[in-house]
Each structure stands twice: as C-alpha cells, then as structure tokens.
C-alpha cells in the first residue's frame, strides 16, 4: 500500500511561518519609513524600527519603547483638541477595523508634526 506524502495545510503553514516572520522583521527593521507597533489597550509602543527611533531622537528602538504617545505628540491637534483626547478617539476605531488613516499629528520632538497612518 502506498503511503501519502501530502502535507496538511497546518503542517505547511507551520513550516513556512518562521521564514515569513523573518522576512517581515527584516523589512520592518530595514525600512526607511518610520514604523511603530502599538500594543492595546493602553497604546504603548511595542516595537519600532530604527527609522522611527532616529526620527524621534531616541538612542535606539528600546529607548523609544519607554516613550508614551503623548511624549511625541504636540499638545494640541490642528482642530484645537488636546492630543491626548484626540489620539484616543482616533486610535480605538483602528483597532476594531485593523486599518485606518489617522487625521492626527505626532512629532512634537521633530521640527514639524506630521500625519500618522495606522495599518
């Protein structure tokens, strides 16, 4: 009797997942675009790439992880609301939908605040 050598989908995913994770991590770390990973529900910084650390004046990604979102946001947003209030209102819906464009600004430590995109 011939034994089947076909692998189950779970076995196939388990085999390729570490390689995919490594590829994603390399793209994340080497990107020239600043990227920040938030951890809900407190919206702390989970990880950043070197471009984000450099943009905000942090010595490293580990140093950047000690910042809070309010530390790198202007006191007020363009609509006059406080950053703390506005950022909470615009980040929570992103978590529910997994992607959205935020119309708030971050970058108090940079020369010019800029829009934040959440994907």
């Amino acid at each position: 009797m011939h034994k089947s050598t076909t692998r189950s989908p779970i076995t196939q995913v388990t085999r390729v997942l570490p390689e995919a994770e490594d590829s994603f991590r390399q793209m994340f770390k080497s990107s020239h675009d600043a990227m920040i990973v938030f951890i809900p529900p407190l919206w702390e910084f989970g990880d950043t790439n070197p471009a984000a650390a450099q943009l905000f004046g942090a010595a490293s990604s580990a140093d950047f992880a000690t910042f809070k979102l309010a530390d790198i946001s202007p006191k007020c947003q363009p609509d006059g609301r406080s950053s703390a209030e506005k950022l909470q209102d615009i980040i929570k819906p992103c978590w529910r939908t997994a992607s959205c464009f935020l119309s708030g600004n971050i970058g108090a430590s940079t020369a010019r605040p800029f829009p934040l995109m959440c994907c």
Side-chain angles (χ1 to χ4, degrees):
M1 181 176 245
H2 180 68
K3 186 176 179 179
S4 175
T5 59
T6 310
R7 293 190 171 131
S8 74
I10 292 173
T11 302
Q12 291 173 351
V13 168
T14 303
R15 190 173 50 82
V16 299
L17 187 59
E19 185 177 315
E21 287 180 35
D22 288 343
S23 295
F24 176 78
R25 183 154 302 282
Q26 282 183 317
M27 286 188 297
F28 178 79
K29 294 293 185 189
S30 64
S31 176
H32 294 284
D33 293 325
M35 295 185 194
I36 304 167
V37 176
F38 294 98
I39 301 174
L42 300 177
W43 305 106
E44 296 171 337
F45 299 123
D47 197 3
T48 63
N49 66 353
Q54 180 181 13
L55 180 67
F56 291 103
S60 65
S61 292
D63 182 40
F64 186 88
T66 66
F67 296 174
K68 302 288 182 219
L69 190 53
D71 296 336
I72 63 166
S73 301
K75 289 191 185 292
C76 291
Q77 292 293 305
D79 65 3
R81 293 171 63 195
S82 75
S83 286
E85 177 187 351
K86 174 96 179 215
L87 291 172
Q88 283 300 315
D89 287 349
I90 59 179
I91 289 175
K92 286 180 183 177
C94 289
W95 179 247
R96 285 192 298 270
T97 62
S99 180
C100 64
F101 183 76
L102 304 179
S103 59
N105 289 342
I106 63 171
S109 62
T110 62
R112 179 179 58 160
F114 52 88
L116 171 67
M117 183 164 186
C118 176
C119 300

